[in-house]
Amino acid sequence: MLLTLLQAKLHRVRVTQADLDYEGSCGIDEGLLDASGLRVNQYIELYNVSNGERFSTYIIKAPRGSGAISLNGAAARKAMVGDLLIICAYSQYTEAEAERHEPVVVLVDERNQPRRAQVKGAA
């Protein structure tokens, strides 16, 4: 049996751009991708802390150090620039893998720069 568990999350990142005329996806600063282990084209779930919207899309890379969190296409209707999001990715693990799996949680500063990346449950 495979279990679906949280792989990684970007906690309380701020939307920097919303573009309805783009063909869909979420641009994420490459530094945040590195810190979290998230990958380009990976399926993500987004939770808008500011308005309660929940939606999904996939990742595209934004320039390293830019702090960019851009919502494109239909996703741009779900948040406004300045809204706070939690971005999560889930992966499947065998029962043995699940026993030792700990998700990565990336906390950011006010410019969406990684402040701290931690493995949840680690000291």
Side-chain angles (χ1 to χ4, degrees):
M1 169 174 59
L2 293 176
L3 302 167
T4 303
L5 304 175
L6 178 66
Q7 173 195 331
K9 98 173 162 174
L10 301 174
H11 191 70
R12 295 177 67 90
V13 293
R14 195 168 297 279
V15 176
T16 61
Q17 181 180 358
D19 184 355
L20 281 171
D21 295 322
Y22 190 89
E23 213 179 283
S25 62
C26 177
I28 300 175
D29 180 315
E30 187 175 9
L32 291 172
L33 296 179
D34 289 347
S36 64
L38 297 174
R39 304 170 73 97
V40 170
N41 296 317
Q42 186 170 5
Y43 173 87
I44 52 174
E45 302 238 348
L46 301 94
Y47 312 120
N48 188 327
V49 175
S50 301
N51 69 15
E53 288 281 357
R54 298 168 73 93
F55 54 102
S56 59
T57 189
Y58 62 94
I59 297 170
I60 60 172
K61 185 175 14 179
R64 181 180 302 279
S66 67
I69 299 292
S70 62
L71 297 177
N72 304 303
R77 291 247 187 242
K78 302 292 188 178
M80 295 173 42
V81 170
D83 282 0
L84 292 174
L85 302 179
I86 298 170
I87 300 176
C88 296
Y90 300 88
S91 293
Q92 293 190 320
Y93 302 88
T94 65
E95 288 188 48
E97 291 169 329
E99 287 296 320
R100 45 184 200 280
H101 172 71
E102 295 292 341
V104 175
V105 176
V106 177
L107 306 175
V108 299
D109 65 16
E110 63 282 348
R111 296 178 335 273
N112 288 339
Q113 297 303 306
R115 193 166 45 93
R116 184 174 70 218
Q118 62 189 35
V119 175
K120 191 165 174 59

